[in-house]
Amino acid sequence: MPAQKLDAIDRKILAELQGDGRMTNVELARRVGISAPPCLRRVRTLEEAGFIRGYHGKVDVRQLGFEVQVFAMVGLQSQAEADLSAFEEQCRDWPLVRECHMLNGEVDFILKCVAPDLSTFQAFLTSDLLRARNVASVKTSLVIRAAKEAPGVPFDVLEARLARIA
């Protein structure tokens, strides 16, 4: 279902759950202005349709001892689809890689990595990432601090866009 197939209640449900996925169905129903049973049906439908892909707790990585966060820009020797897919699969197997995005431009992939310390990341970089099949280059940038980490999408922008289209 594209966004335009969702009604205003569905979009409100998604916006509320994006902000707080732990609220009860009764609280969610109250916030979106419907009763609990249809709210629960809508949530299940949104889950089945793939709009809601999961519920996660946002953990503080530094509080858990992961002091190092790094973005690694990876260039591959070959951009054939089989090689791109093979690299993506390899990234799924590396625990330090928390996000992997294919890009358009100079860099083929950007990886968000976490490690408890710099020596752990360096060992991953030299033993795994730089030795991975098809990797031609890696440039890394150490995160000093995060100024913003917003999940999901800006629903206010979506609502404004839909209002212009209607």
Side-chain angles (χ1 to χ4, degrees), residues 34-89:
I34 61 176
S35 64
C39 184
L40 186 57
R41 281 193 298 275
R42 283 174 177 259
V43 169
R44 287 187 177 144
T45 299
L46 291 166
E47 289 170 346
E48 290 167 7
F51 285 100
I52 299 171
R53 294 179 26 200
Y55 299 89
H56 310 279
K58 175 115 173 82
V59 299
D60 186 320
V61 295
R62 290 212 163 118
Q63 191 80 350
L64 291 167
F66 288 83
E67 294 293 327
V68 174
Q69 294 180 57
V70 178
F71 285 97
M73 287 69 69
V74 179
L76 301 181
Q77 294 168 358
S78 165
Q79 290 75 30
E81 185 56 41
D83 295 321
L84 296 169
S85 295
F87 182 75
E88 290 169 337
E89 189 60 38

Side-chain angles (χ1 to χ4, degrees), residues 13 16-17 23-33 39 43:
I13 288 171
E16 291 294 336
L17 288 175
M23 77 179 78
T24 66
N25 182 59
V26 171
E27 175 62 16
L28 178 60
R30 186 192 67 71
R31 289 187 188 186
V32 301
C39 184
V43 169

